[in-house]
Amino acid sequence: MQTLKLVAVSAGLSQPSSTRLLADRLAKAAEERLTEREYAVEVRVVELRDLAVDIAKNLVSGFPSARLRAAIDAVTGADGVIAVTPVFTASYSGLFKSFFDLIDPDALTGTPVLIGATGGTARHSLALDHALRPLFAYLRALVLPTAVYAASEDWGSGGDEYTDGLPARITRAGRELADAVAARSPAGNADEVEVVPFEQQLADLRLD
């Protein structure tokens, strides 16, 4: 049985953290879908709060510590990445951006990435499309169509007849990630799922 590697990057600062909780639930949804498809799955969570000092030292010295290098290698060697950040000042956190600044621009080329964010109000949900999607498009990752934003009021909400609640969005996003990862695996079918790069999505929306 082939083993696929999923890495969830959580930039939450508190403990316990709603950002870590969202990362865990997204990873579980993807893992369950891959297990249904008879893949073995290895899930690793990278907690950036534990690497904050290492990241700062690397930015000024250019030399990563052993544990920071291990975290970077885990992300760049993953079959699929889940990246979740709290929203500060209508964008990703400085810690989140600083970590991905250390990733080689070509290291995530073609890697399926599921983006997520947490915040106190749903008004900041546009940060997913205005900040996170462009970041991972620059890194040449395949950003999945469904992104998940969790505001404070979303936790425990089941949605209504017009909108999906947080659990439904997590399940849909996790399945998208799992299907994209499976399609890129040696045993997968490359035609099984199509993930359109963000640049192409923008091009398709341009009007003549």
Side-chain angles (χ1 to χ4, degrees):
M1 181 181 292
Q2 182 182 358
T3 299
L4 298 175
K5 296 179 181 180
L6 299 180
V7 174
V9 178
S10 169
L13 298 180
S14 60
Q15 196 173 22
S17 162
S18 61
T19 302
R20 171 62 189 268
L21 180 59
L22 179 58
D24 286 342
R25 291 191 177 182
L26 290 169
K28 183 174 179 58
E31 181 182 11
E32 288 177 349
R33 172 65 168 173
L34 286 169
T35 301
E36 288 174 3
R37 300 185 59 173
E38 299 184 346
Y39 288 95
V41 185
E42 176 184 322
V43 178
R44 174 172 177 176
V45 178
V46 174
E47 280 272 20
L48 296 188
R49 69 185 298 276
D50 297 332
L51 296 170
V53 174
D54 302 75
I55 291 170
K57 288 181 177 178
N58 190 176
L59 288 172
V60 297
S61 70
F63 297 100
S65 65
R67 64 176 185 168
L68 177 57
R69 170 48 60 192
I72 292 172
D73 289 346
V75 171
T76 57
D79 295 297
V81 174
I82 299 163
V84 187
T85 178
V87 173
F88 295 142
T89 322
S91 188
Y92 37 61
S93 72
L95 180 60
F96 183 87
K97 179 62 163 58
S98 294
F99 176 76
F100 283 100
D101 280 345
L102 303 178
I103 302 290
D104 185 277
D106 296 320
L108 291 179
T109 299
T111 302
V113 174
L114 168 55
I115 55 174
T118 59
T121 172
R123 291 192 296 272
H124 291 308
S125 62
L126 289 177
L128 287 167
D129 291 323
H130 292 173
L132 273 76
R133 283 192 188 276
L135 170 63
F136 288 101
Y138 172 79
L139 293 173
R140 300 180 179 87
L142 292 178
V143 187
L144 297 174
T146 299
V148 180
Y149 180 86
S152 297
E153 64 267 22
D154 287 326
W155 298 103
S157 171
D160 54 39
E161 60 182 316
Y162 300 107
T163 59
D164 289 336
L166 181 59
R169 287 182 278 133
I170 288 173
T171 298
R172 184 170 68 249
R175 290 173 70 89
E176 285 181 6
L177 176 61
D179 291 345
V181 167
R184 295 183 70 248
S185 70
N189 182 352
D191 297 326
E192 186 175 342
V193 63
E194 179 183 6
V195 181
V196 181
F198 183 61
E199 300 96 323
Q200 185 61 51
Q201 295 177 38
L202 289 179
D204 292 342
L205 291 173
R206 293 194 184 105
L207 300 178
D208 295 332

